[in-house]
Structure formats: C-alpha cells, structure tokens
DNA sequence: CGCTAGTACTCAA
DNA sequence: GTACTAGCG
C-alpha cells in the first residue's frame, strides 16, 4: 500500500518529466506494476488458468519503450513474502478465491462483463508470471532481449533501493511511494506508455514549502512515514501524515511523539506500538536484498553491530546462497520454493500467440520443428527485423568447453551438501519433453560462482557499522556496544571461510544483474537444443581484462565486456539491439561512453533455437575445483539448475527429490560473518539507557490455539522497564523487539492455515512420465508412507519428539538462542534424526498448537535455513490445524 | 481541516 | 498500487 497520502504531500516537488531525460542511464523498474497492469488485460485467462502472454507483451512493450529512449531498464521482481506479511497474503488469497468463484458463477450465467470484473479481482501476480516475462524461450522476454533483471529475495522495494544506493542504477520506476522511505534518491512515478512520468527527487525535499522537510534526514522522513502508517505498521488511528509531520517537527524523535500522543490521550496508541515502530523501522532499514556484486544476500543497510539475523526475524530467513541465486535469477519460485512453473509452454506461445501479421522476418515466422519444446518462434510485435542485431553472440559459440561449476559446489561445501541430499531442482514441469538432457559442458560455458560469500573489507565495514549504529542510537535511543558482538557460530566455520580459496577478489567492475548471455546457437551444427547462452550470473572481476570498457563514473562501475566475448558479465543486450524495433523505431542512441560496446553482431534465424540454459560465467579466481565438477543440466525449455555437488554420475541419475538441503556452513550473512573480526572496532563509552522490554506472558488464548487478533498478543504481555547498563543494551533491545514480534506474529500466523503453501502445485502441462516419476508428490499433507524420511511431508509429531528434536537443533547452533525461544526442559535430550524437519519445529511455536494436533508439514520447505529460529517461520507457514 | 473508508482504475499495443 | 471523494470528528 505504500505510504498513504505521501505523494500528494510531495506534490510541490513532483516534476513532470520524460524518461528520455534519463537517456544513457540505468533505471530499475518495479516490475510488479507492469505485470499487474498487463494482467488486467487478460484477467480472465489468468484466473481460469488459460495460457496467455499478454501481460508479458505489455511489460516488454514498456521495456522497449525505455530502450527506445536510450534508458537501460533493470527489471526487479518481488520475491518471497516477509513473515509478517503472510497473514495479509492469506486474506488476499481468500478474497481472490472468492472473486474467482464469483467470476465463474457469472460466467456460467453468461454475464460476461460481471465475470470479467470478478476475474480482475481474482488475479494475482505470481512468480510464475514473472518467470514468463523473464524466460528465454519466449523471444519476447527479458532473457531473450538481454534485459537485466533480478528477483528480490523478499520485497522488490528494498531491492530497488539497494540497486540505486549501490550505484547499479540511477533511478527507480515504481508506483510505490515506499521507495522514498527506503531511501531512493530519484523515483519516477506514473510512467505511461509514452514515457511520460513524474519524478520525485530526494534532493528536492528541502524545496517542499507547504510541508517543511528541510533539514530532515532520511531517518526523520522514514519516521514520519512509519508513524503515518506503512506496510509494516498500521498507523495509530487518527494519526496521518500531516499530524506525524507536525509532531515530528516538534518533538524530533518518534519516541517523544508517541509519548506525547499517549499523554494527550485523544488517540489510542497500542501498548506495543513503540516496539512495533522499531520493528517497522528495522524492516525498512535492513531487509534482505540480493547483491549482484557478490551474488549473495545482504542487507539494504548493514545491520547494527551487536545484533544478529536472529534479532531480526521479521525480515525473513536468510536464504542459502544457491537458493538465493536461483531466486534472483527467477528460476526458483520464492514462495513455493519450487522451480518456477512455466505457465505458458513455448509450444503454446509459438502456436497461439505469434502475432504473425507483424512478423517481418519470414524465416522466423516458421513454426518450430515438431517436438521442439521451446520453439521460440513467438515473435512479438516488436521483435527485431531481419538483419538487425541479434541477441545471440556468435563469438561465444567458441566457448564450448569451459568448466561448469555451480554455486555451492566448491570443495568446502561438499560435506554439507552431500549430507543434505540433493536439492529438488529437477522438475517434472521442466524436465519433460524431448528427453534431451544435455550436459552443459558440451554446449556452453558456465560460470563459477564462488560459493563463498564475499568477505567484506573489515575496516570499511567497521566504519559502516559505527556510522550505522550511531544513527541508530539517535533514532532509537540506544547505545552502541563497546565491542562487536561475539561470533555466533563455531570459530572454525568462520575460519574456514576466511581461508577459503574461493573468496572473490574485490571487484573492480560492477557486474550487471542477471542478464542474457548472448551466445551462438548450434555449436554442434544445428541441433536445436544446443543453443547455449542464457542467464549469466555476472562475476567479478571479469575473467579477462582486455578491451574492458569502463564507465567514467567514479562511483558506478558498470558492466565490463571483453572483446573476446568471454567476459560480458551479465551484459544486457547491446544497446544497438534497439535497432529496427517495430513500435519503437530506433532512436539515434546516445551511446554513453560508460555503456557497453558489444562485440555482438547480427545474426539471422536465432529465434528458432531454444532458450539457453543457465550459465554462469567463469570467475576468477576459481574456487577449488578438486572435486568432480557438477554440471548444469539442460532440459528442454527451461533450465534445470542442479547445484548439488555430487559426482557427475550421481547427478546424471535423477535421485528421488529430497528437500530442504541444509545450507553450507554459511549461516550468517557476510556482514554477520565478518563480525567476528570486528572485535577491534573502537569501543564506545557505554551509557545507561532505559529500554522497554516486553515480557512474554502467554495467555489463555494462546493455549487454546484460538486465533488472536493483533491486540490480544500485546494484552498478553506486560511491560517492564529495565535499566540496561552496557553494550548489551543495544542488542538486547533489538532482541526484545524481535521477541515481541515473534510472540505476536507466531500467534497470528501459526493458527492461520496457509493453504497456499500447502496447496498442490498443478502443472499447467502434463509432465513426462520420466520426470513425473522422480518428482515429489504434491506438497499437501500426504498419506503416510509416500514420503521419504527426508521429505516427511506430513508428520504428526508428539511433543516428546519435538523436545528431543529441538535439542538437536540447539546443538547445531552454537549460541545466541534467545531465551524467549529456547525450548524448555529439554536440555539433555539426545539428538534425533530428522534434523531438518525438526529444526523447523522451533520452540517459538506455541506449544499448545502442537499439543492440539497440529500437523506439521516440512515438505514445502526445501529452503536450507540453518538457523533454527528462522526456521520457525517456515514452520508457521506450513502449520495447519486439522 | 485532517483523516477514514469506499469506489474506481490499471488493458486494449 | 494509485486517485478521488463523501462523510465524520
């Protein structure tokens, strides 16, 4: 919902503009908006599950519009749901289901327009739809056109902000005023099909006369937004933007404002409001984002020293590196954790949606060969003309013999990976057809993506922490700890990372996001499946340094490309690919010197080749490659990314899909893992602070497992004031925020079933027997005996089992298990076997639920999350009462 | 005057 | 997600 009324408030500084003013620049696009608008036009098809690509065409039209005006779009998609939003998502889902039923009823009665109206309300933009826009098998899609994109681990908003903040892009296109709160400097709203938009610049805030924002930092602005009500916190009823602004100007700090409002007594301020406020602020600040540079998760802003991820449960669990990468590339559905379902198999697209009358290239208009799974003959209205620069780079055809290594495949990860069984990468939806799995080694180059997270510069990092924490002091009234926090994991684990040979060197070139790897098809002479290329996960530094084109901009190092064609790290399609686009005639492109000059040359007939597999550029330095290199398996249309590290032979034989691979030893974000080295950070004088701490006192409602409204959670708690006298105070205070949230959230969501997560995935296309046979069953609660112990889809676990298992989990995490969440009375129980299953059963889950015959399903949780407390969220997502 | 809640809208190139 | 507006305090 964004911040209600924020845009009108900023009316003064809204500047009508045109995207061409951003020619030569890179602009990140909140893709959800375009997908949603595009979906409007085909709501009925989507609601009824009929394959359609209209929304893709709509979005691509916009993409081409941007390119037409010389703007390089970077498409950003929403990822997984934040834990705190799962509840609202359930409600939405319910509403959509109702609308769908209504629509069907109207349709049956022949009331077409009423039906359509209902279907519009029933439509949801799903990751599968995002995938349609991304996937390469549609020529009319991002990969095929070399558009950079990234799927955020959670929300797109912080991801967009991060891209801008870190210099990947210069502005952000969105309709969501939240972006300003996340700290974006240049936001473009209301972009229409012609390129008109309204820009709001952070720098203009001071020019706001009606509402004086002069002298306001990002923090104050954010405080105002949160106070007035935001996605993460409902406002105090009766307190809107203007009041928040007025009071903040007067009292400066949100605590004071809240105090004043309470004293005034006109408005009802929930008891937990201050906690909630802090939590909302922490969510705005530290949400997970995908860093294209390190190809790993990080935070929008580094989390404050003295706190760990466990203190920020509301920002969602840290995803395992390879999983995060899969999500970022759009291949893994961040919600279902499954490989994304291809809604529109290419065969359909090729036969049903080709706008033939606009097809200027006769050769490409031909139907694909029979059986070609990804005919790729779908030409958009705007597809390139014959002779125009193709997206495929013939030069790269040469790179046929490179090694293939995947994320998480480095030697050091091997033990963990083998222990965790094979991640369920293969899919019946994607492995089907043609039965032509091709070892990628034979067809293309893959990149080595170092499995080890980038080790931050500790000195700089410590400065960051200092600055960051100092800010936090001011905002939240906390003090910094005098020393960095203790390491939360075994020392050897940290050590291992430190000495890892796979640690990437500090990048010298800013890689692009996920983009297309242009590559010539038919390495082996015309066979359809051989076209390589595909998504490149850019690596840095580029393997070769020759012919690098570097941006003159000091703060933004853009994509570098080598003339040899070997290191176009995630380069988006060449700027000259705009040439001859129907609908958007090629402008005289102002090729900014910082942008790429690509060696790509025109090529005809590329379109009949299937899409490229996921390929990763080879990185330097290469991680230890002493173990058998795993390989990417190329199936038909989409890509099967097998990230296991088993032997090739092992991989070639599909194993029963097992889930929830335990992530390697990287249980912490890079930031966190670096904390152990921050002990030398300058101490600061500790001051006493009063911190409100909420004490959990579970009430009768919890025991009954009854659904509790928001307020009841807070009623169950009593507030106590404690004096915090040292550095512990900071992390302790944050922890208390976390604990209160946990209590509230767990209660809310644990009792709510989440049918969405439990619902079986219905493939739009029948899977081939081959793949279906090794595909796991539906993710519903399944009859016993159908699952391996690893999947343990639905297990009724007696309390005793839970106790036994939770103790195991605790032994896995060395420390920092919050007392609030620690299982009680099970200290000495022996470890149990179902490690993952059980880890999910964190003690944060209300015991009464367990005792009330809650069915626990861990099967929909293949995400390797090692932190047991974070796993609790997954648990709540799959709990349902019978 | 500020705020809330309800309604309408997004496509169709 | 937005914008607009009637109605309420």
């Amino acid at each position: 919902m964004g911040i209600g009324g924020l845009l009108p408030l900023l009316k003064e500084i809204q500047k009508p503009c045109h995207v061409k003013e951003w020619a030569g620049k890179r602009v990140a696009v909140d893709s959800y908006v375009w997908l949603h608008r595009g979906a409007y036009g085909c709501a009925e098809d989507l609601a009824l599950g009929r394959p359609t690509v209209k929304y893709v065409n709509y979005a691509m039209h916009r993409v081409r519009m941007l390119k037409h005006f010389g703007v390089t779009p970077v498409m950003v998609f929403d990822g997984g749901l934040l834990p705190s939003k799962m509840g609202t998502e359930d409600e939405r889902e319910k509403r959509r289901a109702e609308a769908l039923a209504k629509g069907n009823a109207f349709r049956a009665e022949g009331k077409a327009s009423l039906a359509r109206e209902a279907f519009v309300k029933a439509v949801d933009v799903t990751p599968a739809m995002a995938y349609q826009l991304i996937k390469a098998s549609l020529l009319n899609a991002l990969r095929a056109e070399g558009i950079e994109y990234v799927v955020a681990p959670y929300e797109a908003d912080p991801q967009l902000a991060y891209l801008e903040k870190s210099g990947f892009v210069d502005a952000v296109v969105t309709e969501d005023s939240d972006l300003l709160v996340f700290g974006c400097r240049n936001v473009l709203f209301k972009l229409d099909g012609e390129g008109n938009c309204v820009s709001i610049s952070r720098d203009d805030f001071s020019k706001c006369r009606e509402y004086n924002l002069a002298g306001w930092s990002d923090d104050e602005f954010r405080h105002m937004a949160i106070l007035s009500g935001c996605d993460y916190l409902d406002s105090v009823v009766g307190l809107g933007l203007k009041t928040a602004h007025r009071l903040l100007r007067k009292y400066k700090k949100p605590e004071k404002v809240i105090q004043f409002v309470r004293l005034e007594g006109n408005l009802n301020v929930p008891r937990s409001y201050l906690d909630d406020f802090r939590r909302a602020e922490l969510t705005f600040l530290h949400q997970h984002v995908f860093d294209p540079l390190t190809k790993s998760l990080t935070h929008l802003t580094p989390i404050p020293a003295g706190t760990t991820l466990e203190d920020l449960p509301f920002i969602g669990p840290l995803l395992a590196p390879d999983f995060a990468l899969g999500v970022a590339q759009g291949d893994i559905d961040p919600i279902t954790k499954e490989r994304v379902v291809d809604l529109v198999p290419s065969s359909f697209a090729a036969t049903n949606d080709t706008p033939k009358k606009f097809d200027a290239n006769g050769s490409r208009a031909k139907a694909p060969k029979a059986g070609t799974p990804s005919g790729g003959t779908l030409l958009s209205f705007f597809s390139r003309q014959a002779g125009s620069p193709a997206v495929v780079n013939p030069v790269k055809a040469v790179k046929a013999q490179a090694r293939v290594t995947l994320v998480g495949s480095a030697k050091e990860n091997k033990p963990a990976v083998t222990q965790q069984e094979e991640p369920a990468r293969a899919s019946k939806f994607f492995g089907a057809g043609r039965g032509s799995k091709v070892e990628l080694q034979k067809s293309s180059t893959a990149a080595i993506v170092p499995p080890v997270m980038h080790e931050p510069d500790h000195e700089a990092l410590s400065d960051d922490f200092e600055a960051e924490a100092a800010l936090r002091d001011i905002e939240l009234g906390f003090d910094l700890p005098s020393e960095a926090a203790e390491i939360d994991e075994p020392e050897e684990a940290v050590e291992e990372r430190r000495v890892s040979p796979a640690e990437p060197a500090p990048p010298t070139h800013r890689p692009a996001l996920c983009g297309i790897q242009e590559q010539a098809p038919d390495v082996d002479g015309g066979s359809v499946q051989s076209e390589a290329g595909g998504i490149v996960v850019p690596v840095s530094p580029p393997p070769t340094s020759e012919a690098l084109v570097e941006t003159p901009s000091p703060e933004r190092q853009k994509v570098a490309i080598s003339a040899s064609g070997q290191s176009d790290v995630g380069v988006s399609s060449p700027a000259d690919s705009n040439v001859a686009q129907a609908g958007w005639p090629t402008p005289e492109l102002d090729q900014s010197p910082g942008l790429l000059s690509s060696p790509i040359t025109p090529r005809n007939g590329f379109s009949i080749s299937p899409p490229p597999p996921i390929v990763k550029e080879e990185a330097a330095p290469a991680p230890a490659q002493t173990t058998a290199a795993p390989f990417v398996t190329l199936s038909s249309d989409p890509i099967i990314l097998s990230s296991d590290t088993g032997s090739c032979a092992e991989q070639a034989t599909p194993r029963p899909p097992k889930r929830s691979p335990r992530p390697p030893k990287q249980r912490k974000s890079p930031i966190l893992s670096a904390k152990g080295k921050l002990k030398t950070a300058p101490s600061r004088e500790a001051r006493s602070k009063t911190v409100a701490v909420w004490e959990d006192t579970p009430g009768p409602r919890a025991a009954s497992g009854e659904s509790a409204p928001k307020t009841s959670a807070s009623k169950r708690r009593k507030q106590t004031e404690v004096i915090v006298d040292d550095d512990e105070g900071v992390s302790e205070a944050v922890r208390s925020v976390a604990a209160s949230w946990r209590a509230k959230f767990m209660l809310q969501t644990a009792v709510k079933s989440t049918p969405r997560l439990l619902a079986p995935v219905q493939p739009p296309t029948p899977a081939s027997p081959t793949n279906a046979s090794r595909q796991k069953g539906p993710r519903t609660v399944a009859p016993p005996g159908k699952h391996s112990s690893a999947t343990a889809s639905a297990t009724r676990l007696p309390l005793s089992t839970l106790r036994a298992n939770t103790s195991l989990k605790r032994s896995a995490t060395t420390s920092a298990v919050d007392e609030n969440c620690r299982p009680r009375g099970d200290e000495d129980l022996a470890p149990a076997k179902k490690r993952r299953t059980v880890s999910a059963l964190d003690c944060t889950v209300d015991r009464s639920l367990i005792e009330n015959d809650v069915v626990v399903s861990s099967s929909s949780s293949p995400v390797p999350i090692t932190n047991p407390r974070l796993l609790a969220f997954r648990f709540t997502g799959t709990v349902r009462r019978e």
Side-chain angles (χ1 to χ4, degrees), chain A residues 827-840:
Chain A
E827 265 73 17
D828 297 315
L829 291 174
K833 285 180 184 172
K834 292 178 185 173
R835 173 175 288 248
R836 266 178 290 108
T837 304
V838 184
S839 296

Side-chain angles (χ1 to χ4, degrees), chain A residues 97 139 150 301 339 673 855:
Chain A
L139 275 188
V150 65
T301 48
R339 172 152 281 283
S673 64
V855 167

